[in-house]
Amino acid sequence: MPYAFGYRRVSTSDQKDSDLGLTAQQEAIEAHFQQSLKPKGFEWGGMFSDPAVSGSKDFLSREAGSELNLRLHRGDVVLFHKIDRGFRSISDMLGALSVFEQR
């Protein structure tokens, strides 16, 4: 059975309470899961968070990003509220996707 995981991140403590804060990201991710993926048979795998972690760190070098990578299996999906909450650049995204694909 495939799992859907959520990932959220803020760069600074000030962003935690903004409209792109952790709570807002989680609500959007969970709503998408309920509406789009749960009806397709996905199970909720959990939310991974990197609060106040700079976007200058690659996804796989962040604590939650690294832990999430280790939990993924073939057919699983990762949900982000916005792509820039997950990856710092296109090369970071492509590198992470390559690692995901190898799993």
Side-chain angles (χ1 to χ4, degrees), residues 20-103:
L20 284 179
L22 295 175
T23 300
Q25 290 178 53
Q26 181 166 342
E27 289 171 354
I29 290 167
E30 289 176 348
H32 180 75
F33 168 76
Q34 291 294 331
Q35 183 178 23
S36 299
L37 295 174
K38 189 173 182 178
K40 294 178 181 176
F42 282 83
E43 293 290 325
W44 182 243
M47 181 69 65
F48 289 78
S49 303
D50 277 317
V53 174
S54 171
S56 67
K57 290 182 76 172
D58 288 342
F59 178 80
L60 296 174
S61 68
R62 297 180 201 140
E63 184 176 337
S66 176
E67 183 181 342
L68 174 56
N69 176 53
L70 296 175
R71 295 274 310 270
L72 292 174
H73 292 93
R74 186 173 201 79
D76 290 346
V77 298
V78 180
L79 303 172
F80 302 92
H81 175 61
K82 289 179 65 179
I83 202 73
D84 70 343
R85 298 295 84 201
F87 306 104
R88 58 179 239 129
S89 66
I90 296 294
S91 62
D92 178 27
M93 181 179 71
L94 293 174
L97 291 176
S98 176
V99 171
F100 295 167
E101 191 174 75
Q102 291 174 15
R103 297 177 102 26

